[in-house]
Amino acid sequence: EVPFLAGIATGTELVHFYRFERMDVDWKCTNPQAGPPQNGHFVRVFYMLSNSKVPKGGPKLDVTAHTWQYTGKDGKTLDGAQLATSAAKSCQKGSKGEFGAVAEPGFLVGGEIVFDLPSTDGILQQTYREGVGGWRFPVKNANTNFRSLDERAADRFNGIG
């Protein structure tokens, strides 16, 4: 189901999770100082990381560049460093040049990541830790499958969702 939610439980309690809420394909950057996409297409993803129930010294939740990759329809793979172009970084609100975020134990973090993809026909993937778990989504379908919290709340209010 979209939006995507995954996490780790201790017993029956979800102690930390990450959520990818919305993806905007061919997003128009609003920063006048940013150049055009260097790879071809800006794609913006909203995320939330909850690590609030993890004790100090516990695992971190990470959605920085090294956790991402894109695989095109042709099978060519680009790693997160290749997707985190200077143009993409300059399009992220409040990023100060960073790409993604890390939620330390005890914290909740949210924001947006702007990717610079060569095509919208491939798969964008985030890996939770050392290739284990994560999120895979066909970029082409994103605008029709991802819906905002407001859209889902309206559906529930109207008896649709």
Side-chain angles (χ1 to χ4, degrees), residues 131-154:
V132 177
W135 174 82
R136 288 174 54 94
F137 202 79
V139 177
K140 185 190 285 187
N141 298 332
N143 288 343
T144 56
N145 289 335
F146 270 82
R147 296 181 309 129
S148 72
L149 286 172
D150 292 340
E151 291 165 323
R152 289 195 321 280

Side-chain angles (χ1 to χ4, degrees), residues 71-124:
T71 304
K73 196 165 129 179
D74 60 1
K76 183 178 177 187
T77 300
L78 298 177
D79 64 26
Q82 295 167 297
L83 305 174
T85 63
S86 58
K89 288 178 189 177
S90 66
C91 287
Q92 294 175 163
K93 289 184 183 170
S95 74
K96 300 177 189 133
E98 298 141 10
F99 189 82
V102 175
E104 298 286 339
F107 287 88
L108 181 71
V109 177
E112 68 182 36
I113 303 172
V114 177
F115 298 93
D116 191 345
L117 305 181
S119 168
T120 60
D121 288 335
I123 303 287
L124 187 60

Side-chain angles (χ1 to χ4, degrees), residues 8 16 18 58-62 66-67 126-134:
I8 294 180
H16 64 211
Y18 59 100
K60 300 174 184 178
L61 290 176
D62 186 350
H66 76 276
T67 68
Q126 191 273 338
T127 303
Y128 169 65
R129 188 185 326 153
E130 290 85 40
V132 177

